[in-house]
Amino acid sequence: MAVSQTTGSTGNESFASSRLSPLKNQPHDLSFDDSAINETTYLEENDPDYNIDETTASTTSDEDDDDYTSEVADMESTESLELDDNVENIKPAFNVFASPFFETGSTTNLLLDTHRRFRKFVHKYEIPRKGFHTSIGFITLYLYTLNVQEQSIAKPLSIGLAVVFLFDLVRLNWKAFNGLYCKVVGVLMRESEVDSWNGVIWYLLGLTIVFATQPKDIAVMSTLLLSWSDTTASAIGRKFGHLTPKIARGKSLAGSLAAFMTGVVAAYIFYGYFVPYYPEVNVNSKLAWTPETSHLNLHTLALLCGFVAAVSEGIDLFNWDDNFTIPVLSSIFLNVTFKLAAKA
């Protein structure tokens, strides 16, 4: 019996060996045949949800109302907000220091904490930002009535420019400080400014150049066009821009018309009221325009200022920030026109 089992075992091994021997000597080809993949095969690199092209991330345009509406709708549906009937009990789960941005440095699509909290008030209509923007014009007129000269304003503007630039330089290289900075002044910021230079830098740079190089009345008028016309153009363009043609990148006809009308009103306010009713503040200053020294009357001047406001607001010059281009271009346009219209 034992002999039989041994013989059977040996026979089975011999049989298996004879059947597998051709495979032992045959080379193994483990290469992958790409032709076996059909067109419906899933590839990660072809999946738009897998690849995120940061270069095409959208930035908020002043007059793109549809983008803002969709963003607000997304915020309203997000699960990161625990809503209560009382607005004060809104508790955003967004922690600026725990955000992935402060791990990776990418903030292209980051919504600031204040934008989540106040939604349309801050994010869509930018009420605090526009309120601050508009107040600069009233502050400028108040300083004009106090007989503050343009050279005296240029110095503090340049100091403010240096301070804001230093803050931005630090925060853009120090993630924790950037988080604290955005948490404190985020109500005045746009998402695009979280990881890029603050628009206030361009604002101060433009006004510093204007007050350092232009006559008092041109400097004041350029500030009013920046403060009031640009704000009105942004607000009206954002609300009604989709109903009118676009005349430039992010600029609509509705916004340009609003800038024109605001420029006309600003000219009447300054040249029609402040200049004649505060003559004592111009004793030591030579104004670029007066009805006695120019061929332009007040009404023509107002239309000119409206035109300058619309053009300077609508021009996209080398993709520079309009907080810089509006006051600088406005001052140049007004200065050249006043000289051409001056009486001999």
Side-chain angles (χ1 to χ4, degrees):
M1 187 68 176
V3 174
S4 175
Q5 290 178 347
T6 303
T7 305
S9 175
T10 304
N12 290 337
E13 291 178 358
S14 300
F15 175 77
S17 176
S18 63
R19 294 292 300 270
L20 296 176
S21 58
L23 297 177
K24 291 181 179 180
N25 299 324
Q26 183 177 351
H28 301 293
D29 185 8
L30 299 180
S31 61
F32 189 75
D33 186 5
D34 293 338
S35 62
I37 302 177
N38 56 37
E39 295 181 355
T40 61
T41 301
Y42 173 80
L43 295 176
E44 283 182 336
E45 58 269 22
N46 294 332
D47 187 350
D49 295 328
Y50 177 80
N51 282 312
I52 300 177
D53 186 1
E54 294 182 357
T55 61
T56 59
S58 61
T59 55
T60 304
S61 171
D62 279 349
E63 300 172 10
D64 200 345
D65 188 61
D66 293 337
D67 289 345
Y68 269 81
T69 302
S70 62
E71 287 185 43
V72 172
D74 291 341
M75 286 192 294
E76 291 176 349
S77 62
T78 183
E79 296 179 357
S80 63
L81 286 177
E82 301 174 8
L83 298 180
D84 191 90
D85 293 336
N86 189 346
V87 177
E88 295 180 355
N89 292 329
I90 295 179
K91 301 176 181 178
F94 178 76
N95 185 340
V96 72
F97 290 104
S99 170
F101 154 64
F102 296 104
E103 299 295 330
T104 64
S106 176
T107 59
T108 305
N109 297 315
L110 178 66
L111 290 178
L112 300 177
D113 188 27
T114 50
H115 288 224
R116 290 178 178 269
R117 184 182 299 274
F118 299 105
R119 299 182 178 181
K120 291 184 178 181
F121 183 77
V122 173
H123 180 73
K124 182 175 182 179
Y125 298 113
E126 299 181 336
I127 301 300
R129 181 185 179 96
K130 285 179 169 48
F132 177 75
H133 205 290
T134 304
S135 68
I136 302 300
F138 293 101
I139 294 174
T140 302
L141 290 177
Y142 175 70
L143 294 176
Y144 176 84
T145 63
L146 297 180
N147 197 20
V148 178
Q149 301 302 313
E150 61 272 23
Q151 295 83 3
S152 302
I153 297 179
K155 184 176 181 179
L157 284 176
S158 60
I159 295 175
L161 172 62
V163 171
V164 176
F165 177 79
L166 180 61
F167 265 84
D168 263 25
L169 191 63
V170 172
R171 75 178 182 89
L172 293 178
N173 291 278
W174 185 6
K175 298 174 185 178
F177 180 75
N178 193 19
L180 178 62
Y181 183 94
C182 294
K183 198 173 185 66
V184 173
V185 298
V187 69
L188 300 175
M189 297 175 64
R190 290 175 177 157
E191 296 92 328
S192 59
E193 294 175 337
V194 174
D195 58 350
S196 64
W197 298 106
N198 198 321
V200 176
I201 293 178
W202 302 107
Y203 200 108
L204 293 173
L205 178 60
L207 292 183
T208 300
I209 293 175
V210 168
F211 277 95
T213 61
Q214 299 293 344
K216 179 194 286 187
D217 58 329
I218 292 181
V220 172
M221 195 65 221
S222 299
T223 304
L224 297 182
L225 296 184
L226 170 62
S227 176
W228 296 349
S229 295
D230 182 45
T231 304
T232 307
S234 175
I236 299 300
R238 180 168 296 175
K239 185 67 176 179
F240 303 104
H242 64 284
L243 301 176
T244 61
K246 286 191 174 183
I247 59 177
R249 185 183 64 87
K251 307 293 182 181
S252 68
L253 180 60
S256 295
L257 290 176
F260 174 82
M261 295 301 298
T262 307
V264 171
V265 173
Y268 276 118
I269 291 175
F270 178 60
Y271 283 109
Y273 175 77
F274 280 89
V275 171
Y277 280 89
Y278 292 91
E280 67 278 5
V281 304
N282 297 316
V283 173
N284 298 322
S285 301
K286 182 179 180 181
L287 299 181
W289 178 90
T290 62
E292 295 78 21
T293 61
S294 177
H295 290 290
L296 300 175
N297 58 36
L298 178 61
H299 306 297
T300 306
L301 174 63
L303 292 175
L304 171 66
C305 290
F307 175 77
V308 169
V311 172
S312 60
E313 193 276 335
I315 288 180
D316 183 10
L317 186 62
F318 305 118
N319 202 26
W320 290 347
D321 195 295
D322 56 5
N323 288 320
F324 171 77
T325 58
I326 289 176
V328 173
L329 292 180
S330 296
S331 65
I332 294 175
F333 291 158
L334 291 176
N335 199 330
V336 171
T337 305
F338 288 168
K339 288 181 178 180
L340 293 176
K343 294 179 180 179

